[in-house]
Each structure stands twice: as structure tokens, then as C-alpha cells.
Amino acid sequence: MNQPLGIGRILLLLLPFTANAQQFMAGGRQQLAPIPAAVSGVKQVATSLAGTWEIQLNGQKDWKPVQVPGEPAMQGFAVAHDQPFRYKKSIPIPAEANGRQVAIRFNGVYSYARVFINGKFVREHFGGFTAWECDLTAFVKAGSTADLEVEVTDRTDDISFAAGYAHHPIGGILRDVQLIVRPNVHAGQLHASAQLADDLTTGRLSLDFVLKNAVPATVVSWSLTAPDGKRKVAGGILKTTNGAGKHQADIPGVLPWTAETPQLYRLDVTVSEKGKKVTQYTQPIGFRTVVIGPGNQLLVNGKPVKLRGACRHDMHPLLGRSTHRGQDSLDVVLAREANLNFIRTSHYPPSADFLEFCDRYGIYVQEETAICFVGQDRGGEYNKFTSTQNDTAFTSRYLGQLSEMIDRDRNHASVIMWSIGNESSYGSNFQQEYDFVKQIDPSRPVSWSWPMTALKENKRCFDIAVGHYPVYDGKGSDMGGVDRNMSHPDFPLLSDEWAHVACYNVGHLRNDPSVKDFWGRSMDTTWLARFDVPGNIGGAIWGMIDETFHLPGKVTGYGPWGFVDVWRRKKAEFWNTKKAYSPVRVGKTHFDALPANGILEVPLKNRFDHLSLSQIVCKIESGGKAVDVKLPPVAPHQNGVIALPVKGISVNGVMIRFYDPAGALIDEERISWGPRGSGQLPVAAGSWQFSTDKNVQRSGDVELRNYGRLAVKGSVVVTGKPQVVVNRPENWNAFKNTPGIFSGNMTVAEEQIVEETDRIVVRTRGVMGAYPVALETSYFPNGLVEVRYTADSLPRHTWEIGVKIPLAPELSRIAWRRQGYWSSYPAGYLSADSGAALKNSGKAYHYRQQPEGSIAEDMTDYYLNATTDERKAGMHGSEGFRGKKEHIFEYEASRQNGPGRIRVLSDGSQAARMDVEADGKQWLVISDKWDYWSLAWGNFQGLPNPSKQMKGIIRFIIE
């Protein structure tokens, strides 16, 4: 059965692009005919075959039901590499198919497939993420039922390595399957290039059309309808010779397509015979031109664009590396909400549905062919097939699925560049890919990584230099070695992987989920540092959606590296992304005082590429009332000032919100003025009453036992003496994960107690792990406690330095007020400026079931705990309860009912979090210094300790 593929390879090597260049295909692949919008006499042209099929694994006799599309492995079927398995389904062939062509379209089958109809072999296909068809006309009878079988093999030698980096075999029918009925005379090709002429106002429409089985009476006409759907702007007859036709038309005054103004025209192409319509094709198109301009800038419609993006994988929570139309639309909506204007389709082409929504809502797309980690260490059995970059036996696969990708998707306005592979070593197959793309589609630039491996050989197979994981502040290179002061001298620089979301550092994530929030300043700094750098065209966060496969028997994948989880719940990173990428940047949010005239002049930067700020709606909100404020006409990429009328507002702050022309929230900032004061603890007061039992002292409602245990009104709040905390990573510079070395119990070498009526002082010296420590704890009669501590012999890199206080397990609610990195956060956010959280949120997250609450309410994490057992996956407290609150003014832990709470007040220089242990013990950790070493990947991780000694003062009160 492999003989036809071998012949295809020989022809490709002899005539690499005659593959018939006019047909835009290579590697022996078949061109994908467009699906008609309508066929005369046919009620339903394309019918989805999604639903229940049957599957039979290798070596088994039984057929079992399986969901298509979707990974079999995610449904409990033990798919193995290089072992074929079979699907089957009986498909009704409509009576309307009589005298017409019947085809079946597979939109993605990983990774090698062979198709049989009624027991007869039809064709084979290599590649898991491109669309391809089988012509069934000669094999089926209209009005009858056909037995379809698809043999699928998850091949270890697949050049995409997609099963390898998914950490399990993903083989199967991953995307929709469609039954298509076409007339005999139909379009075999419809390529529509919608560019702008040199004046950037005239649309230039080029049609390249191939008609199959044309007869002399066949007439092909076309028309173009304006974005409002009402006005026809152009049209005519498309002349064909032997079924092929080319046509070009200039349309003056078109509305151009950009990510900010996604104006889509409707192209209709109609095939008629003897004056009667046979079939019609409808294609949304956007007029836009993409070029690399002076200064290595990426120009869309003559204007430099800055790409603020993320890398997206197909991820379904129950079906794995599979995609569905509703999921695709939701991802585009979420991307827009997060202020993205760019998606990299890592590391394979997306579905046609996804690109449709990118066209409609306005997202620039870097579409990547399914080639990954070639010439790199793939690990284990995969390394046998890693070095295919110069292997002629694989050339047809490289070029074949690349040409299938371009053939299907070249009409999409959203696709502004092709990527010919990810993180691979240069070789002749990549060079042939580049040359092929430049021949058949010179309208888009080409990207590829790693470019340095080509440049070292004085070769070039890219137009855009791709670097991965640049240093957040630009002071250093990147993993790809192409970043030179945030640019490249010869090419536009695109960091299509940057600001990696925390996922590998599982120990740190388990211990302190606030690492998710801390990541936001890396994203913000990364974008701020590069926005005004000529030739730096932006980048893409790795990644958008968590990579956690919840298989029936295990949880696997790379980890929670998205700003949304697999259920599309917004993580802490979502708001950070929205803020960092905001195209309206407010330069100052806090003012020392309100001007006498009551007008605050707030600096702004327009980080749109094509919109003036005068096109943005601005509202100032205070006291439940909103007033529109007109923004100045600040041009794209320029600075300006907005005058905010705040005279007469009694509070020291207002909310300013920006909305796009469609009414979607772009950003919000709380503009404040005046002192940002912290709360004040009560001064020491009262007297201790000493009893004959030296282990018990009282003062009103306050009781001190054993010189450490504190209760109020009989309710225990603090269960023991404070201890110094020095938590650190085992390896601060770890590439991925590192174990944590956490403070245990202090070993006391010396303790001194001084009793006075106005205070009781406990002085302790000893060691905490490897660190000599000393504490002086003063207990005051009104419940006030002051802890002065010293820690010596500290390492350069730590996670936390401070004091931990053992609390009664019944203290199950926290509340806080703090100075956040951003001026505004949504309610319920992990680290909002003010908020509250419960240790037990009451929200269940059962394995492979839709979670009940938000991520901040999650009590369970199956991936971080590497288990499918809900009991073992418990985190002993909700994420919101356990997460560190940085720069606190006030933090308290209390009972949900009844007396007894602990309250910490600070000046914003300290942080606090709850550390809940498996046995129910919990500690309030108050830090004077905190860092996030192990976040890595170019992110800001903190600052090294300036000295080997740390001193601090912690003050709290029980009430």
C-alpha cells in the first residue's frame, strides 16, 4: 500500500514544484476542492459525521463505541505507537447524490490513515492536522448505506512529534468528518487574494479558479458584497479556458481588514449551466496587505503593527487534542477579551472554523505547519526519527502537509504569515519548504525557528527571525540566540514564545499559587520594554490554554501553562495578560494630591496600530454614576494626555474604563490621589494578670498560655510560638522544576522569658534548618504581638524570608487590603487589592467533570498532585485562601462564625499567606522578602538577597 507514496516522492525530487505549480500542491498531495455553499437540488451539501462511531484496537475482536472527533486515549482506549487500529461507521448516502460527486472530508486524523469503503481501499494520508478528502463516487450508491472504515496509526516517525510532546499517543480522528455532495461540474480550486493597491485605498481582488468537468455551456460569475451585507460593490463573468480562469479587479475605496477593523466582504462565485445555477461558493475575504517595510517593521496596510499574542493548542477537557466549532469560537472570544491581536497556531494548522472566527473578530494568525523539534532531543523512542531535516525520504511529508495547509487557508485575511516549523535544526527539507512557499504565495512572510541554525550555514529559509524566551527587560539574549538588544539587524524579530506561564515549577505552584499573579509583571515589562523598539514586532505568550490531559487512568501533559485552563476558566494570568497587553496604556494612576482646578491630567499611550484614541469610548465612574469623557485624537503608537474632571468627588479615587467601538471593555484603571495610608494597630494597653500557674496569663478577654498560645474570649487563635521562615529552591536556576527546601520546626538552643505587667518578652535563639535565627517576641495585654527576628547565613536566592505563626485550624476565612501591581482587579481575583477567601470554598472539582467554581475557589489540583484520586488531589485549602497577598496594608484570618481573629497591619512592604498542611495544621506566613525563583524562561523571578543577614519586625493583634 505504500507504493503510491514512494512514486510521489520520486516525482517530487525530480520536479519539486511541478507538482504542477499552478495547482499549488506538492508531495503527491491532492488539492482540496472548496465546499459549496449551495448545490441545486441538494438540501444539505455538507453533513457532519461527528458523533458515535465504533473502534477496534489492534489485536482485539470487539468493536466498541467511541466519540468522533476526539482522542481514543482520552476515552479509555489504549492506543499504542505504530500499532494500527480501526474505526467504522455506516453512513447513509443521500438519494440527492445520484449523478453527483460524493466525497468525505477528514479535517484531521493523527497521524497516518488508510480509508476503506465497503471493504475497498480508497486512499492513504500522512499528517494529523491538515484536511483531505476521499472521492467516494465510484464506491457508493445514492440512497443506500456505505460502510466506512478508517485505519489509523499513531506513528513514532511523524514529523510533527505531536504525540511526543503530548506525553501520550494522541492517534485518532481528532477533527470533524464531513460527507459532501457536489455537482459533477464543480470548483476544484478557488483562491482569492484580496490585497490593497499602492494607494492603500483601492482593493485588488485576484481570483484563481479551476472548474472540474466543465462543459461548453458552463458560465462562472462572481460578485462582491460590502461588509454591511447589503451593497454589491463589484462583479462580473469569470472567463475560463479548459476549466481554468484567472481574474483581477480593482475596487476603489474598500474598507480595509485589520485586527482592529475586521471588515469582511462576501465573495460569491456561481457556476451556471444554460442559465440555471448549478452551485455557489461563498468566501468571506478581507482586503489587506502584509509586507516587511523599512527598519524591519511588519506593515499591515502600510502601518507598522505590534503583535501581542499567545500560542494556542487544541485542547478539549475530555477529548484531548481535539477541536470543535464552539470551542474554537470561544477561544477567539477569550483571546480578544484578553487584548490579544495575535495567535500562533502551535505547532500545527488549526481548524478552518478557528480561522473563520479570527477573520470575523480580528486576530492576526501565524499559521504553523506540523513540524516540530527536528534535529532536537525528542527523548526515548522518538530520537530514532528526530533528524529528518535532510532526509529525502521525508521530503514529501514536509512539503505535502505544508501545501495542504496553504491550499486550505490561503484565502483567510487573518493569516498574515506562514511558519514552516518549530524549534528545529536547519536542513534541505526546510529550505525546500521556504522556496515552495515563496513560489506559490509571495503575499505573506515566512517564519521559522531556529533561524540561527540556518544563518550559521549561510542559509536563509525565513523572512522573520524568530526568537524564544527573551529576557523580560531586554538585557540579554533569548533561547534562540537571535535577540540582539530586542531586535535583529537584518530581519524583523518575533518572539513567538515569550513570558512562559508558570507550569514546570510544580512544587512552587503547590506551595504558593500566587506565582501565577507574580508572572504578570514579567509580561508587562516584556511588552513595555519592546513596544517602541524598531524592528521588534512583538511576541506570543506560552501559552494560552493549559496543557493537561485528564485521561481516564492518569493525568499527563506539559502542565498548566495557559492563562485559561482546559475548561476555559480564566486563571490569574488572564487579567495580567489583559492589563499588560492593553492597547490603551495609562501612564500614571496615582497622584499625590488633587489639583486646585479639579482636573487630573493623565498620560496615555495609544498602543493600537490603526485606531486613533478618539475612536475609543471612555467613561469615568464614581459613586455608581458614569460620565463619558472624550479622548484626544492620539495617533497609533503615540503619547497623549486625557483631562479627567474629578472636581467635587469626595472620595480619593475614580474608575476610568475604555471600551472599543463595539462596546467591549479594553481596560480599566483606578485613578487615585492623596496618601495611601495603611491601617493602625492599637497601641499597647492594659496589664497582664499573673496567676499561680505560670503557664497562663490573662488580660481581659486575652489569654496567653505557655508563652505562645493565644486565645480571645476562650477561642484559640494562635497555637504556638512564631518561628522564622527561610524557604528556598534547591536549585534557583533550574531549567524546569526544582524541589523546595521549606522551613520545618525551629531547633531552640536558648530561650529567655521576661515578665512585666505591660508586656511579656520571649527571646529565643537557635537554628531553622541551616540558618542561625533569633526572635524577640513581645506579648502585650491587649492582644498586640511584636516579633523582631534575625536570620543569618542566608543563601543568595530564597522564596520567602519572614515569620510563620501557627494558627488554629478553625480560622478558615481570610480578608485583605493591599497595594496591587495593577490599580484595578476583578472581584474574586486571587490577589485583588481587597477581598476575602474561604479555606473551604465548598466548590467541587471532580475528575473529568466541569468544576463548580472559579479557579480561585478550587480545592483540588489533579495535575500538580499527579493523581486522579480526588482525595489525594486535595490542596487543603482554596487557591484564593492559600495564595500570597503581596504589599499588604491589612490582612486577617478569622473564624467564619464566633470570636477570634488575627489581624496584621503593615505599610505595604510585607506579604502574607496561609500555609495549610495535610494534617490540618496551618501557618500564617508573613514575609519581609519574597521572590519566585524557578519561574525562569526569561521571566522576572525576583532579586538576590543583598546580604547574608535579614532582620525584620512583624506586628499583629488577636481580637
Side-chain angles (χ1 to χ4, degrees):
M1 292 298 182
N2 290 327
Q3 186 62 29
L5 185 67
I7 293 172
R9 282 200 292 261
I10 294 171
L11 289 173
L12 177 69
L13 293 174
L14 293 174
L15 298 168
F17 305 123
T18 58
N20 193 333
Q22 290 301 312
Q23 298 193 18
F24 306 98
M25 302 306 291
R29 300 299 170 109
Q30 301 174 16
Q31 194 156 29
L32 195 67
I35 298 177
V39 174
S40 178
V42 176
K43 292 181 180 179
Q44 190 162 349
V45 175
T47 303
S48 172
L49 300 179
T52 301
W53 291 39
E54 290 182 275
I55 191 172
Q56 181 190 62
L57 295 185
N58 184 49
Q60 296 183 2
K61 294 182 179 180
D62 293 339
W63 291 85
K64 296 181 179 179
V66 67
Q67 185 69 27
V68 169
E71 284 186 36
M74 292 289 291
Q75 301 174 67
F77 297 99
V79 173
H81 292 311
D82 302 317
Q83 295 184 16
F85 56 95
R86 287 202 168 201
Y87 290 89
K88 73 176 182 179
K89 186 176 182 66
S90 294
I91 54 175
I93 308 301
E96 300 163 339
N98 187 37
R100 297 182 172 93
Q101 185 205 57
V102 180
I104 188 167
R105 175 173 292 195
F106 295 92
N107 288 284
V109 182
Y110 190 86
S111 62
Y112 172 67
R114 300 170 72 226
V115 179
F116 302 82
I117 284 287
N118 296 328
K120 296 179 180 179
F121 174 73
V122 181
R123 69 167 293 192
E124 65 178 356
H125 184 266
F126 272 102
F129 301 98
T130 51
W132 49 284
E133 286 188 2
C134 300
D135 187 345
L136 305 184
T137 310
F139 298 88
V140 299
K141 183 179 179 180
S144 66
T145 298
D147 293 326
L148 169 66
E149 288 195 21
V150 185
E151 182 189 88
V152 179
T153 308
D154 185 319
R155 292 179 60 134
T156 314
D157 69 351
D158 191 78
I159 55 177
S160 73
F161 185 53
Y165 61 73
H167 293 183
H168 72 285
I170 65 170
I173 302 175
L174 302 183
R175 294 180 178 170
D176 196 14
V177 183
Q178 298 161 288
L179 185 71
I180 301 167
V181 178
R182 295 185 177 95
N184 282 331
V185 179
H186 63 271
Q189 171 184 301
L190 175 56
H191 291 168
S193 173
Q195 305 288 311
L196 294 178
D198 292 342
D199 63 4
L200 299 178
T201 61
T202 300
R204 181 156 291 164
L205 176 64
S206 299
L207 300 179
D208 198 335
F209 186 81
V210 174
L211 196 61
K212 299 286 189 179
N213 306 318
V215 296
T218 303
V219 176
V220 181
S221 60
W222 67 277
S223 66
L224 193 67
T225 303
D228 62 9
K230 301 175 182 178
R231 184 170 52 91
K232 181 178 176 181
V233 298
I237 301 299
L238 201 162
K239 296 181 180 180
T240 61
T241 302
N242 296 325
K246 292 179 182 292
H247 185 79
Q248 182 170 300
D250 283 355
I251 301 101
V254 297
L255 298 171
W257 187 98
T258 72
E260 295 160 13
T261 57
Q263 301 284 357
L264 287 176
Y265 289 75
R266 190 184 77 235
L267 172 67
D268 291 309
V269 176
T270 302
V271 179
S272 302
E273 291 181 9
K274 297 179 181 180
K276 294 184 179 180
K277 183 170 71 172
V278 175
T279 185
Q280 179 176 313
Y281 300 88
T282 298
Q283 173 70 60
I285 59 171
F287 287 94
R288 57 106 187 95
T289 298
V290 182
V291 298
I292 295 172
N296 293 325
Q297 297 186 97
L298 183 68
L299 305 180
V300 174
N301 304 341
K303 301 290 185 181
V305 298
K306 296 287 187 173
L307 303 176
R308 49 183 197 274
C311 298
R312 175 188 178 268
H313 271 297
D314 291 345
M315 276 303 300
H316 187 281
L318 299 178
L319 298 174
R321 186 72 81 224
S322 188
T323 185
H324 302 260
R325 184 171 174 83
Q327 175 180 300
D328 289 336
S329 64
L330 177 58
D331 286 354
V332 174
V333 169
L334 286 168
R336 289 285 300 176
E337 186 181 348
N339 282 325
L340 271 65
N341 70 353
F342 174 58
I343 288 287
R344 176 191 180 210
T345 68
S346 45
H347 298 295
Y348 40 81
S351 70
D353 289 337
F354 181 77
L355 293 180
E356 175 192 331
F357 294 118
C358 289
D359 289 344
R360 186 187 303 179
Y361 293 110
I363 293 286
Y364 297 124
V365 173
Q366 175 192 18
E367 186 168 1
E368 191 158 83
T369 191
I371 303 172
C372 198
F373 303 153
V374 174
Q376 306 295 307
D377 182 10
R378 291 180 168 183
E381 61 181 334
Y382 296 106
N383 273 338
K384 292 184 295 183
F385 305 104
T386 182
S387 296
T388 60
Q389 63 269 36
N390 293 301
D391 191 338
T392 58
F394 285 83
T395 304
S396 62
R397 292 203 222 170
Y398 277 73
L399 293 176
Q401 63 181 18
L402 173 68
S403 64
E404 285 179 330
M405 175 182 80
I406 296 173
D407 182 50
R408 190 198 69 176
D409 296 337
R410 63 187 301 145
N411 291 352
H412 287 281
S414 57
V415 179
I416 63 168
M417 71 180 78
W418 305 114
S419 170
I420 60 171
N422 173 63
E423 292 188 8
S424 297
S425 299
Y426 175 78
S428 61
N429 286 334
F430 289 111
Q431 190 65 56
Q432 289 194 60
E433 279 195 298
Y434 176 76
D435 295 341
F436 176 74
V437 176
K438 300 312 289 184
Q439 178 181 351
I440 68 167
D441 183 22
S443 70
R444 294 174 173 93
V446 174
S447 64
W448 172 74
S449 60
W450 301 111
M452 287 304 293
T453 65
L455 295 176
K456 287 177 181 178
E457 297 186 30
N458 293 317
K459 303 290 186 179
R460 171 186 164 183
C461 60
F462 56 90
D463 304 313
I464 293 172
V466 167
H468 287 179
Y469 306 110
V471 178
Y472 69 98
D473 61 2
K475 297 176 181 177
S477 187
D478 61 6
M479 192 180 294
V482 298
D483 190 328
R484 307 174 192 178
N485 298 318
M486 297 181 286
S487 62
H488 191 281
D490 302 316
F491 304 95
L493 176 64
L494 173 65
S495 299
D496 64 9
E497 291 183 26
W498 70 8
H500 201 306
V501 172
C503 77
Y504 306 115
N505 49 337
V506 293
H508 206 171
L509 284 165
R510 278 197 298 262
N511 179 253
D512 182 5
S514 63
V515 64
K516 301 177 181 182
D517 184 57
F518 184 85
W519 167 88
R521 65 205 68 192
S522 295
M523 183 64 261
D524 187 40
T525 306
T526 295
W527 194 220
L528 281 173
R530 289 160 178 80
F531 187 85
D532 293 315
V533 176
N536 190 302
I537 64 174
I541 298 166
W542 192 276
M544 181 179 173
I545 305 162
D546 280 355
E547 185 80 354
T548 53
F549 295 88
H550 292 69
L551 294 151
K554 69 174 181 178
V555 58
T556 189
Y558 258 102
W561 62 25
F563 57 73
V564 296
D565 75 352
V566 294
W567 301 98
R568 276 34 176 203
R569 294 182 300 166
K570 299 170 187 176
K571 298 168 59 178
E573 293 90 342
F574 185 91
W575 185 251
N576 279 286
T577 299
K578 184 177 181 68
K579 295 291 293 181
Y581 274 161
S582 173
V584 183
R585 180 71 180 197
V586 175
K588 186 176 182 179
T589 59
H590 184 78
F591 297 80
D592 293 336
L594 189 64
N597 64 359
I599 304 295
L600 279 177
E601 293 193 345
V602 179
L604 297 174
K605 186 175 185 75
N606 181 356
R607 299 198 297 188
F608 283 105
D609 301 314
H610 292 90
L611 292 180
S612 166
L613 284 191
S614 61
Q615 298 171 266
I616 303 306
V617 176
C618 176
K619 295 181 181 291
I620 180 172
E621 301 177 17
S622 177
K625 297 181 179 179
V627 178
D628 288 351
V629 177
K630 188 175 182 179
L631 291 179
V634 181
H637 299 189
Q638 300 302 309
N639 297 309
V641 173
I642 178 176
L644 288 185
V646 294
K647 188 175 182 178
I649 296 178
S650 58
V651 296
N652 68 337
V654 296
M655 187 70 77
I656 181 172
R657 291 190 169 95
F658 304 97
Y659 300 88
D660 70 15
L665 177 68
I666 298 169
D667 197 7
E668 65 180 31
E669 299 282 3
R670 179 169 178 79
I671 308 298
S672 58
W673 52 87
R676 293 195 252 203
S678 58
Q680 295 293 322
L681 283 170
V683 297
S687 301
W688 283 114
Q689 300 169 5
F690 297 100
S691 64
T692 54
D693 182 355
K694 284 289 188 179
N695 290 324
V696 181
Q697 292 82 30
R698 293 184 176 85
S699 176
D701 293 332
V702 177
E703 179 182 277
L704 173 66
R705 287 181 174 269
N706 301 317
Y707 305 105
R709 185 179 177 91
L710 285 164
V712 61
K713 294 183 179 180
S715 296
V716 175
V717 177
V718 176
T719 61
K721 297 172 184 176
Q723 301 187 43
V724 174
V725 166
V726 181
N727 292 333
R728 71 176 182 88
E730 183 177 282
N731 177 11
W732 71 271
N733 201 26
F735 181 62
K736 287 195 174 180
N737 191 27
T738 179
I741 299 176
F742 299 101
S743 292
N745 289 317
M746 177 179 172
T747 300
V748 177
E750 177 185 352
E751 184 172 84
Q752 180 185 18
I753 298 171
V754 178
E755 293 183 336
E756 299 177 4
T757 57
D758 65 339
R759 74 184 64 193
I760 297 172
V761 181
V762 180
R763 297 187 179 96
T764 309
R765 304 184 68 86
V767 293
M768 175 62 77
Y771 316 111
V773 297
L775 298 99
E776 180 180 281
T777 305
S778 298
Y779 297 94
F780 296 95
N782 61 342
L784 181 67
V785 180
E786 180 181 275
V787 183
R788 295 176 179 267
Y789 71 93
T790 303
D792 279 306
S793 303
L794 298 173
R796 284 268 288 164
H797 301 91
T798 53
W799 281 337
E800 290 174 308
I801 304 174
V803 168
K804 63 178 184 178
I805 302 154
L807 300 186
E810 294 78 19
L811 271 64
S812 58
R813 179 185 184 275
I814 63 167
W816 68 89
R817 186 169 57 86
R818 73 179 196 111
Q819 180 61 50
Y821 183 79
W822 307 109
S823 69
S824 174
Y825 293 86
Y829 188 75
L830 173 67
S831 297
D833 278 351
S834 61
L838 298 177
K839 179 162 50 175
N840 185 348
S841 67
K843 305 295 185 180
Y845 179 6
H846 306 304
Y847 191 64
R848 290 176 57 86
Q849 294 183 25
Q850 174 76 47
E852 291 180 357
S854 68
I855 290 177
E857 296 173 306
D858 275 356
M859 306 280 297
T860 305
D861 197 303
Y862 296 98
Y863 182 85
L864 293 183
N865 289 307
T867 181
T868 64
D869 187 327
E870 189 169 342
R871 295 166 299 176
K872 296 178 181 178
M875 300 300 286
H876 317 304
S878 70
E879 183 174 279
F881 185 82
R882 295 180 297 108
K884 182 186 283 108
K885 317 306 175 190
E886 301 177 304
H887 304 291
I888 58 169
F889 295 134
E890 187 171 6
Y891 183 101
E892 72 172 45
S894 62
R895 287 174 168 81
Q896 289 180 250
N897 298 294
R901 68 171 179 170
I902 182 170
R903 190 159 56 99
V904 182
L905 282 96
S906 183
D907 59 1
S909 64
Q910 294 174 315
R913 71 176 178 91
M914 296 296 294
D915 185 3
V916 186
E917 298 180 358
D919 60 3
K921 294 179 182 177
Q922 63 181 12
W923 304 79
L924 169 58
V925 180
I926 306 170
S927 303
D928 284 301
K929 189 173 190 303
W930 60 97
D931 302 287
Y932 290 87
W933 305 106
S934 79
L935 189 51
W937 298 84
N939 289 310
F940 176 60
Q941 303 180 84
L943 299 172
N945 296 322
S947 69
K948 291 186 176 183
Q949 186 183 80
M950 179 83 182
K951 293 184 177 182
I953 303 174
I954 305 295
R955 303 178 79 238
F956 62 88
I957 191 169
I958 65 162
E959 298 171 326

